[in-house]
Amino acid sequence: MAVVVNMPRLSDTMEEGTVAKWLKNVGDHVEEGDILAEIETDKATMEFESFNEGTLLHIGIQEGEGAPVDSLLAIIGEEGEDISGLLNGEGASTSEKEKEKEETTSQEKEEVASTGEAADIPEGVEIITMPRLSDTMEEGTVASWLKKVGDEVEEGDILAEIETDKATMEFESFYSGTLLHIGIQEGEGAPVDSLLAIIGPEGTNVDAILNAKPSERTSEAKSEAPKKDETPKEERKAETASSSSASGGRIFASPLAKKIAADKGIDLATVKGTGDNGRIVRKDVENFTPSAQAAAPATATSSTSAAPASVAPINLPVGEERSEEVKNSTMRKVIAKRLGESKFTAPHYYLTIEVDMDNAKASRAQINGLPDIKVSFNDMVLKACAMALKKHPQVNTSWNGDTTVYNHHVHMGVAVAVDEGLVVPVLKFADQMSLTQIGASVRDLAGKARNKKIKPDEMEGSTFTVSNLGMFGIQEFTSIINQPNSAILSVGAIIEKPVVKNGAVVPGSTMKVTLACDHRTVDGATGAQFLQTLRAYLENPVTMLA
């Protein structure tokens, strides 16, 4: 009889998994204990063994795809066995979802059709919506209105100052008439394309527009736009630029463009605008160079006047903007979720001390001089932390809402960087380990983590975590607490520098460590006392061997 294999829960925090690779294909024979697939969890990529024997009849999740725990992963049974009943159960639910989707879509269409025709916009009335004043702007706030309802507005007048996500900018009117309605009051914000104001002939009744739905106003405004001016955009720009300079009429330019032109002494009548309706914007003024036609009359009228200095063109870099989206791995998504929850739920604070490492360097050299023994500075830090936690149990706790959990055991988490992100193997009962045992265990667990062979139970149950970036030359940094721990220690590099000892300046070696604490469980004085004890152990390593 065919057996359904579901996406397994390979860690206590796993909510979904991604199939990194299938090691069996449909039709292959599977023995109990064979590796079916490599599954990427929130902590590591792990091999998944089959607990059943038979033929692989169906694969439910393809390589590279993810699915929640307990989703259909595969079906194993006898060769040629009919599994349509198992698949139809899944197919039925899928078809029901599609049917619901179709019904929802048809219902939405009926609602759209039943809205009827949009309210007619009176002649001469213009609807002004919240403009998109930057490429990342999603909403704007009206900082101040420079016109009031009933005021006359000329084309080019500043209507309001609008605060975007980047700056507060002046917003000009592109229409003339009377300000009939203000849709967003000072200090209020609204999404882009929301009703900002209405301009039109004085005395116009705009109740019909205000009572209409936003979608109706937008669709009506869009449908009216082609009727007002069917001239191509390029021709309108050329006509506007030439007419404003030739006829001596009003020149349409942004306030910033006017200021730059005044500073540079440029006549805006000679500048061709590339903005909407031929409007002159900043880049038009900055890139403007006097034309040969403008220079010729000046030369003819005054033979004694000096020729204008030539402006060398500015060569700006030209390239193609490129970007790509890479699908986040399950581990990366869980790291983002867990660290975000920790940072924004646990009130972090940080304590930093500088430790004299001269004695630690000498002790390590003596220990490593023994045959078949290898101890790192990180091993010494782990041992010192484990012993300090026994003296300061408040740091070895977990916040649990109405209660605080005091851990009487010391399980040290060691942050290890892997290709996919970060994993934290755990040294169980680290306070009972010797320096050589800690060193051997760390190397073994780190190797398993990098080779994707680490087991879930080897990454669970930490009560305190150490993160070391000293090997990268980082002198000092802060870490985010690995929940449900109450603290994490950030270890920097050992630096050789002048230090003061017994009133004399001598060469020395120091190392900075920073303790991040959860203020819900660890007060500042408690964290400081823990660091004092840690310093005593590291500066006198022989005390860790007593």
Side-chain angles (χ1 to χ4, degrees):
M1 181 178 178
V3 176
V4 174
V5 180
N6 292 328
M7 174 66 73
R9 186 182 299 276
L10 298 175
S11 75
D12 57 338
T13 58
M14 177 176 171
E15 296 179 358
E16 67 173 28
T18 299
V19 177
K21 184 179 180 181
W22 278 101
L23 302 181
K24 296 288 184 178
N25 298 318
V26 172
D28 287 355
H29 184 71
V30 179
E31 294 287 341
E32 185 175 349
D34 284 355
I35 306 300
L36 273 182
E38 292 181 353
I39 296 179
E40 180 184 336
T41 73
D42 57 334
K43 294 182 176 178
T45 300
M46 308 175 66
E47 295 177 341
F48 176 57
E49 296 182 6
S50 173
F51 297 100
N52 304 285
E53 189 174 319
T55 300
L56 183 59
L57 303 175
H58 175 73
I59 289 178
I61 304 172
Q62 301 301 318
E63 288 186 1
E65 294 182 357
V69 170
D70 294 332
S71 300
L72 174 62
L73 178 64
I75 298 178
I76 296 176
E78 297 180 2
E79 186 174 1
E81 185 175 352
D82 182 16
I83 58 172
S84 57
L86 298 174
L87 294 177
N88 287 338
E90 182 187 9
S93 61
T94 304
S95 61
E96 288 175 5
K97 291 179 181 177
E98 292 177 352
K99 185 177 180 181
E100 290 177 4
K101 187 175 180 181
E102 291 175 0
E103 291 176 354
T104 303
T105 304
S106 61
Q107 185 177 357
E108 290 176 353
K109 290 180 179 179
E110 291 175 3
E111 290 177 357
V112 172
S114 64
T115 55
E117 297 181 354
D120 293 334
I121 299 178
E123 185 177 355
V125 172
E126 301 292 347
I127 297 174
I128 300 173
T129 58
M130 175 66 74
R132 187 183 299 276
L133 298 175
S134 75
D135 55 344
T136 58
M137 176 178 172
E138 296 181 356
E139 66 174 28
T141 300
V142 176
S144 66
W145 279 100
L146 304 182
K147 296 288 185 180
K148 299 177 181 178
V149 173
D151 287 354
E152 283 295 319
V153 179
E154 293 292 334
E155 186 174 352
D157 285 354
I158 306 299
L159 273 182
E161 293 180 347
I162 296 178
E163 181 182 339
T164 73
D165 57 336
K166 294 182 177 178
T168 299
M169 307 173 68
E170 295 178 339
F171 177 56
E172 295 184 11
S173 172
F174 296 102
Y175 309 104
S176 297
T178 301
L179 183 57
L180 303 174
H181 175 74
I182 289 178
I184 305 171
Q185 301 301 319
E186 289 185 0
E188 294 182 355
V192 171
D193 294 332
S194 300
L195 176 62
L196 179 65
I198 300 176
I199 293 177
E202 185 176 3
T204 303
N205 186 355
V206 295
D207 290 342
I209 301 173
L210 296 177
N211 293 332
K213 294 181 179 179
S215 59
E216 294 173 351
R217 290 198 298 264
T218 304
S219 61
E220 184 67 19
K222 289 181 179 178
S223 64
E224 290 291 333
K227 297 179 182 178
K228 293 179 184 177
D229 190 358
E230 297 178 355
T231 309
K233 184 176 182 181
E234 291 77 4
E235 293 182 13
R236 290 201 305 271
K237 287 183 178 179
E239 290 172 3
T240 306
S242 60
S243 63
S244 59
S245 60
S247 62
R250 184 180 182 278
I251 298 171
F252 304 117
S254 69
L256 184 57
K258 293 177 183 177
K259 183 178 184 301
I260 296 174
D263 293 341
K264 292 187 174 184
I266 297 175
D267 183 4
L268 288 176
T270 62
V271 180
K272 182 178 180 180
T274 60
D276 293 337
N277 300 317
R279 186 168 180 257
I280 299 171
V281 294
R282 179 180 67 177
K283 67 177 182 179
D284 299 329
V285 180
E286 290 178 341
N287 299 333
F288 173 74
T289 54
S291 62
Q293 294 179 350
T299 305
T301 54
S302 176
S303 59
T304 59
S305 61
S310 59
V311 179
I314 301 175
N315 294 324
L316 297 176
V318 178
E320 179 184 358
E321 294 183 356
R322 297 183 59 199
S323 61
E324 63 174 326
E325 288 190 5
V326 178
K327 185 178 180 181
N328 289 325
S329 65
T330 303
M331 180 184 294
R332 177 54 54 192
K333 288 188 287 186
V334 172
I335 289 173
K337 179 182 177 183
R338 296 286 159 74
L339 294 186
E341 290 174 351
S342 175
K343 185 66 175 178
F344 297 116
T345 57
H348 287 52
Y349 71 92
Y350 306 94
L351 303 172
T352 301
I353 61 170
E354 193 168 14
V355 182
D356 183 352
M357 295 295 288
D358 284 343
N359 290 338
K361 291 176 70 174
S363 298
R364 177 174 176 266
Q366 291 179 346
I367 294 172
N368 287 344
L370 300 174
D372 301 326
I373 293 181
K374 182 72 171 177
V375 172
S376 68
F377 289 112
N378 196 58
D379 300 335
M380 300 176 78
V381 172
L382 290 169
K383 177 65 175 177
C385 287
M387 296 181 67
L389 287 171
K390 297 300 288 185
K391 291 192 173 183
H392 302 278
Q394 188 72 38
V395 183
N396 199 38
T397 57
S398 298
W399 178 259
N400 195 30
D402 294 332
T403 61
T404 297
V405 178
Y406 283 77
N407 299 301
H408 298 294
H409 57 279
V410 177
H411 290 354
M412 300 290 297
V414 184
V416 176
V418 295
D419 292 338
E420 296 84 1
L422 184 73
V423 294
V424 184
V426 179
L427 300 180
K428 305 291 179 66
F429 307 105
D431 58 311
Q432 302 175 27
M433 289 183 173
S434 66
L435 282 173
T436 53
Q437 287 175 324
I438 289 176
S441 298
V442 169
R443 287 191 294 274
D444 177 56
L445 291 172
K448 287 182 179 180
R450 295 189 179 103
N451 295 325
K452 303 177 182 179
K453 301 294 184 183
I454 194 165
K455 299 177 181 178
D457 60 353
E458 293 174 319
M459 297 183 290
E460 297 171 355
S462 68
T463 62
F464 185 89
T465 305
V466 173
S467 178
N468 192 337
L469 293 179
M471 68 285 295
F472 298 106
I474 304 301
Q475 297 184 25
E476 182 180 359
F477 68 103
T478 58
S479 302
I480 299 175
I481 297 171
N482 180 31
Q483 296 288 336
N485 300 172
S486 285
I488 182 171
L489 187 75
S490 306
V491 183
I494 298 176
I495 304 297
E496 294 184 354
K497 67 177 186 178
V499 297
V500 178
K501 290 186 178 181
N502 300 322
V505 178
V506 296
S509 299
T510 64
M511 178 182 73
K512 288 185 177 181
V513 295
T514 299
L515 184 69
C517 300
D518 184 344
H519 217 320
R520 297 175 299 180
T521 52
V522 182
D523 293 327
T526 304
Q529 291 165 2
F530 172 85
L531 287 178
Q532 285 181 335
T533 303
L534 179 67
R535 186 209 300 271
Y537 282 131
L538 290 175
E539 291 185 349
N540 302 281
V542 67
T543 58
M544 291 190 287
L545 305 176

